[in-house]
Amino acid sequence: MERQSMEMGGKRVLVCNCEASMPLDEKALTKACQAAGASGEADLNSQLCRAQLGNFQQAILGDQPVLVACTQEAPLFGEVAAEDNPQANIDFVNIREDAGWSAEAGGATPKIAALLAAAAVEAEPTPLVALASQGVCLVYGKDERAIEAAKQLAGRLEVTVLLSRPGEILPPRNMDVPVFKGSIVQAKGHMGGFGITVNDYAPASPSGRAQLVFEAPRDNAFSECDLILDLTGGTPLFPAHEKRDGYLRPDPGDPVAVQRALFELGDMVGEYDKPRYVKYNGDICAHSRSRKTGCTRCLDVCPTSAITSAGDTVEIDPLVCAGCGSCASVCPTGAATYQLPAGDSLFMRLRELLDAYGKAGGAAPLLLLHDDKHGAEVIALSARLGRGLPARVLPLPLNEVTQVGIDFLAAAFAYGAEQVVILADPKKRDELSGLAGQIGLAEAVLSGLGYGAGRIHLVDDADPEALERQLYDLAVPEQHMTGGNFLPLGGKRSRAFLALRHLHDKAPQPVDQLPLPPGAPFGAVKVDTEGCTLCLACVGACPTGALLDDESRPWLGFKEDACVQCGLCRNTCPESVITLEPRLNFTSEAMGAVALNEAEPFECIRCGKPFGVRQSIERIADQLAGKHHMFQDSDQIDRIKMCDDCRVTVQFESPDNPFQGAARPTPRTTDDYLREREIEDARQKVLAERANGKPEDGSGNA
C-alpha cells in the first residue's frame, strides 16, 4: 500500500530534523499529528534544504499548498519555487528554535504537532496602503556633519541642508547642496509627505568667506519633503520617532550609525506598499456625541499621534500608523480592529494551537506571545545558547504584542491555556500602558471566578537566560483550565463574551455578577429615578444601543451586554442622575432589556393623545401657575397640558393671539363680477326709460 504524505488543514507538510539536531521520532510525530487532525504519515527529512531538496521540489509542483517546517532556509526555498513553480503557495513554521532545540525536546512532540496545526490555518491577507517618495530629503543638523552627510546623499537624492543655530562653519568650496539656517518648530506628516514649519529661516549668503553667513531671517517658513535625516542630536521631531517611516535620527556622534542611516535613505525612493494595520468603523465609535466626550482610549495610547479627534468619531492616518495595535487592544466597541493578520485568523490559529496540543497529548499549556523581531530573536538565542523553551510552552508570534486585548486573553484561557507569558521589547516599555490595563482586567476576571491570580506575566527583558528562568520556574497552577472549542465568531465584543461565558461556566467559583476595576469596558448604568425626567437625552447619546426607549410610553431601558462604559450617557444627562458600575453580569438578564425608569404618560386635555411624562407635566404646571408672568390664568396653564398640535391650534384660536390680524376679505370670483355687471346694466336701462318718459311697469301707468 502506497504511503500517504502528511496533510494538515489541506496543506502538504514537510518536516526536517535538521541533520538529526532535533530528536524527532517519525512514528510518534505521525501519531501526535493525526490526533491533532492530520491525515497521512510524517515523512521525516534530515536535510531538506540540501540533499533532499528534491522532496521539496516535488511537493510544490501541484496546486496543493505546502507547509515547510523550517524558517531559516525560507529564502532558499523561495528561490527554488520561483524557478520551478512561481504560483506555489508556501508557508513556513519554526519547529527548531521553538521546540526541537530544547533541553526538553524529547517531550516536545505534542507541541510540534500543535505548531504545525496552527501554521496550517490560512491567514487572511492584510490590506495595503501606498507610500510614495520622490527622494526630496532634508538633512537637519547643527554643523559640518550635516553638510557632509548631505553631500554623500546628493548623488542619489534631492537634498537640502537646514542648520539649527549654526556656529562658525567654514563654507564648502562648492555649494553643491543648498544650505539654509533655521529651527524646526513644528513637524507633521509621513514618508513622502512631511511638512515642517521653520523659525529663524534664511538661505546662506554666497559671500561668506571664513564662515557661513546668512541673509535676513524670517519666521513661520513652511516647506515639504519626502525624507528627513535628523542629525541635531536634540529632541526628536515626532513622538515614537523610531516608528515614523522616512524619519531617521541617528546619533550624530556615531559615524557607523550615521552611515547606516545614509545607506537606508539612499533606497527610499519610489512607491511602497505599507500594511493598513487598523480597520476603523466610525458607526460604533464611542468617542463623542453632541460635543460631549466619552471614550478617548485610542487617543491616549497611540504612540505616534496617528489618531486624532474628528468630532463624534476619530481619524486614523494609515500613513502615520506604525502598527503597534494599542488602539485595537483598548477599543471597547471594536471600532478599531487590528488587521495583521486580518479577520479572525489570529483567533483561529490560537484555537487550533491549543486544541491540537491537547489532542496530541500535551498538558498544562503555557502560551508565549512574542513579536517577530525582538521576541523571535530572544527565543532563538535561548535555543542556540541555552536550554531553549520548555516542552509545555507554546510560542505564538504576533506582529506586536501590544495588539493583545481582553478578547484575546480571555480566548486564550477559554481554549485551555493555563498561563500566558507576554514577551515585550524593553525598548518599547513606554508603549505598554494599554496592554497592562488589559492584563489587569483579565487578571481581575480570572481571580473573581476562582481561577486564581498570577496567570499572566509580562516579561520585558532582552536576556534569553532571564526568559528561561521565568518559563522554567513557573509552577503549573493547581486549578486547571477546561478548554473549549468554540468558534471565535463576530467582532471584538462577541468574541470576548463567548470566551468570558465559557470561563464562567467552567469556573471553580462562578458568580452572577463580578465587580471590575474602573475603566473596564463592561458594566451597568444606574439611574436615580427620583431626579430622572425621562428626557431620554442619554438614549440619543449612547453609541452602542445599550440605552433604549419606547415610542409608545415614557420608558428608559438598558441592555447590559452592549454597554462599554464610555460615559457618554452620564456626561449628557442634564439632571446628572446617571452613574456607571463596572462589572460583568453573567445572568441572562444582561442579554435582554431591563427597565431603568418608567412613568405614566400624560394625556392631552384637548385631544386625549399621550405626549409626555405625567409627573413632569404636572410638576411644571404647578411650579408655573401664578408664579410666572406668562402663566397667570387657567387658559395659559392648560396649554402646558396639551400636545404640540393642540397647543398651536388653541393659540391661534385665542382672542389674544398676537399673530391675529383683521378678517380676511371675501374672495371675489368671475361670477361675482358678471352678476354685478348684469345689475348695473339693468339699472342703467331703468334710468334711461325714466328719462324717456316710459312707464316703469310697461302698463302705461305712471
Side-chain angles (χ1 to χ4, degrees):
M1 183 176 180
E2 184 178 354
R3 180 174 180 175
Q4 181 184 359
S5 299
M6 180 182 289
E7 294 183 7
M8 297 188 83
K11 297 182 179 182
R12 170 79 181 277
V13 180
L14 298 178
V15 181
C16 180
N17 64 15
C18 198
E19 296 182 338
S21 61
M22 292 185 284
L24 299 183
D25 181 87
E26 193 171 89
K27 292 183 179 180
L29 182 60
T30 296
K31 182 179 179 180
C33 290
Q34 288 178 347
S39 62
E41 300 180 21
D43 187 7
L44 197 59
N45 295 274
S46 181
Q47 200 182 53
L48 185 64
C49 59
R50 300 292 185 270
Q52 294 167 304
L53 187 60
N55 293 341
F56 170 78
Q57 293 174 298
Q58 182 180 6
I60 65 172
L61 291 180
D63 296 330
Q64 185 180 23
V66 175
L67 176 62
V68 180
C70 174
T71 54
Q72 175 178 285
E73 299 298 327
L76 171 65
F77 292 126
E79 292 177 5
V80 173
E83 295 182 1
D84 294 358
N85 183 11
Q87 305 302 319
N89 184 350
I90 310 171
D91 289 309
F92 302 93
V93 58
N94 185 355
I95 67 169
R96 190 178 67 179
E97 283 84 355
D98 286 353
W101 282 0
S102 166
E104 296 184 358
T109 301
K111 175 163 73 167
I112 293 175
L115 293 173
L116 293 172
V121 175
E122 194 67 33
E124 293 186 34
T126 299
L128 304 175
V129 61
L131 277 173
S133 168
Q134 303 298 322
V136 179
C137 179
L138 174 71
V139 178
Y140 184 43
K142 293 183 176 181
D143 49 33
E144 294 89 345
R145 290 175 294 187
I147 298 176
E148 180 59 33
K151 288 185 175 182
Q152 293 187 49
L153 290 172
R156 294 169 290 171
L157 304 175
E158 183 180 336
V159 186
T160 299
V161 177
L162 181 65
L163 300 175
S164 177
R165 302 183 188 88
E168 295 184 1
I169 300 176
L170 184 68
R173 187 169 59 87
N174 294 317
M175 195 68 78
D176 43 4
V177 292
V179 178
F180 299 82
K181 79 165 184 173
S183 298
I184 298 177
V185 294
Q186 183 181 30
K188 60 182 180 179
H190 49 79
M191 177 180 175
F194 286 115
I196 58 170
T197 302
V198 183
N199 283 348
D200 194 34
Y201 172 80
S205 172
S207 61
R209 182 177 181 182
Q211 67 179 57
L212 278 174
V213 294
F214 298 88
E215 298 178 7
R218 63 186 178 92
D219 290 342
N220 295 319
F222 180 79
S223 183
E224 296 178 331
C225 58
D226 298 319
L227 308 167
I228 299 177
L229 175 62
D230 186 350
L231 296 177
T232 61
T235 303
L237 299 179
F238 302 97
H241 62 89
E242 68 280 355
K243 294 178 176 292
R244 187 78 55 148
D245 294 327
Y247 175 71
L248 281 72
R249 184 179 170 273
D251 180 359
D254 184 349
V256 175
V258 172
Q259 290 301 315
R260 186 183 301 114
L262 295 176
F263 179 78
E264 293 179 23
L265 282 167
D267 291 332
M268 292 184 179
V269 180
E271 296 186 358
Y272 305 87
D273 286 331
K274 175 183 177 179
R276 185 182 289 272
Y277 295 105
V278 178
K279 179 181 179 182
Y280 176 68
N281 179 8
D283 293 339
I284 58 174
C285 179
H287 172 55
S288 176
R289 291 293 184 277
S290 303
R291 299 184 180 180
K292 299 290 186 180
T293 301
C295 176
T296 60
R297 292 175 174 91
C298 61
L299 293 165
D300 296 338
V301 301
C302 180
T304 62
S305 299
I307 307 177
T308 54
S309 176
D312 286 350
T313 59
V314 299
E315 288 183 352
I316 302 178
D317 189 339
L319 300 178
V320 175
C321 174
C324 71
S326 294
C327 56
S329 169
V330 301
C331 180
T333 65
T337 55
Y338 204 66
Q339 297 195 103
L340 191 61
D344 60 0
S345 304
L346 184 60
F347 285 83
M348 293 299 293
R349 284 185 171 175
L350 172 67
R351 172 177 176 262
E352 193 65 27
L353 178 71
L354 290 165
D355 183 59
Y357 178 74
K359 290 179 178 178
L366 188 158
L367 184 67
L368 175 61
L369 304 177
H370 65 89
D371 61 27
D372 278 330
K373 299 176 183 176
H374 167 76
E377 184 64 27
V378 172
I379 292 172
L381 289 173
S382 173
R384 293 173 180 273
L385 305 176
R387 291 181 288 174
L389 300 181
R392 74 182 187 98
V393 173
L394 304 178
L396 182 62
L398 309 174
N399 185 58
E400 295 283 356
V401 296
T402 43
Q403 73 188 74
V404 173
I406 181 60
D407 54 336
F408 188 85
L409 292 173
F413 290 106
Y415 287 139
E418 297 285 359
Q419 294 150 299
V420 173
V421 172
I422 303 175
L423 178 57
D425 189 341
K427 297 178 182 178
K428 300 179 181 179
R429 285 173 181 157
D430 294 341
E431 302 173 18
L432 299 178
S433 60
L435 175 61
Q438 300 299 298
I439 293 174
L441 178 58
E443 285 279 14
V445 173
L446 294 173
S447 179
L449 293 177
Y451 291 106
R455 288 181 180 262
I456 307 175
H457 304 270
L458 180 62
V459 180
D460 55 352
D461 203 312
D463 183 2
E465 292 185 2
L467 175 64
E468 286 179 16
R469 288 193 299 271
Q470 182 89 344
L471 297 177
Y472 279 92
D473 292 346
L474 275 178
V476 178
E478 295 182 3
Q479 182 63 54
H480 296 296
M481 308 298 295
T482 302
N485 196 29
F486 56 89
L487 290 172
L489 300 176
K492 179 174 184 176
R493 298 281 294 185
S494 175
R495 291 192 300 261
F497 277 120
L498 284 170
L500 291 170
R501 289 186 178 119
H502 173 86
L503 292 172
H504 174 264
D505 292 343
K506 306 297 182 181
Q509 301 172 10
V511 293
D512 288 342
Q513 295 180 0
L514 177 64
L516 294 177
F522 311 103
V525 167
K526 301 296 182 181
V527 175
D528 179 4
T529 56
E530 291 297 324
C532 176
T533 61
L534 283 169
C535 68
L536 302 180
C538 55
V539 176
C542 181
T544 63
L547 289 168
L548 312 167
D549 62 355
D550 189 334
E551 295 181 357
S552 63
R553 59 189 174 121
W555 181 83
L556 174 62
F558 177 63
K559 193 169 181 290
E560 186 165 343
D561 65 354
C563 179
V564 297
Q565 300 282 285
C566 65
L568 278 169
C569 56
R570 178 188 58 197
N571 299 341
T572 302
C573 179
E575 286 84 24
S576 300
V577 296
I578 294 179
T579 56
L580 305 180
E581 181 184 353
R583 72 181 190 184
L584 269 173
N585 188 348
F586 293 104
T587 66
S588 58
E589 183 183 80
M591 295 181 281
V594 297
L596 294 180
N597 195 12
E598 57 186 329
E600 290 294 324
F602 189 91
E603 296 177 351
C604 176
I605 61 174
R606 190 171 190 270
C607 70
K609 181 177 70 175
F611 73 94
V613 181
R614 176 171 296 277
Q615 62 187 27
S616 297
I617 299 296
E618 291 177 348
R619 183 167 65 248
I620 293 172
D622 291 342
Q623 291 176 347
L624 293 178
K627 300 176 183 178
H628 193 281
H629 70 279
M630 294 182 63
F631 299 94
Q632 295 298 315
D633 58 55
S634 60
D635 290 341
Q636 294 169 326
I637 295 298
D638 285 346
R639 290 173 191 163
I640 298 176
K641 301 178 181 180
M642 298 179 188
C643 66
D644 292 343
D645 295 336
C646 290
R647 194 177 300 128
V648 172
T649 301
V650 170
Q651 179 68 43
F652 277 95
E653 291 177 350
S654 172
D656 58 352
N657 179 12
F659 302 106
Q660 186 173 2
R664 296 185 63 182
T666 303
R668 296 174 60 81
T669 65
T670 301
D671 291 340
D672 294 329
Y673 286 109
L674 292 175
R675 188 179 302 109
E676 290 176 358
R677 183 182 298 174
E678 291 176 357
I679 294 172
E680 179 64 22
D681 290 344
R683 190 178 70 83
Q684 293 296 330
K685 182 178 179 181
V686 170
L687 292 175
E689 289 177 348
R690 287 180 178 178
N692 294 330
K694 292 184 179 181
E696 294 181 4
D697 59 2
S699 62
N701 298 321

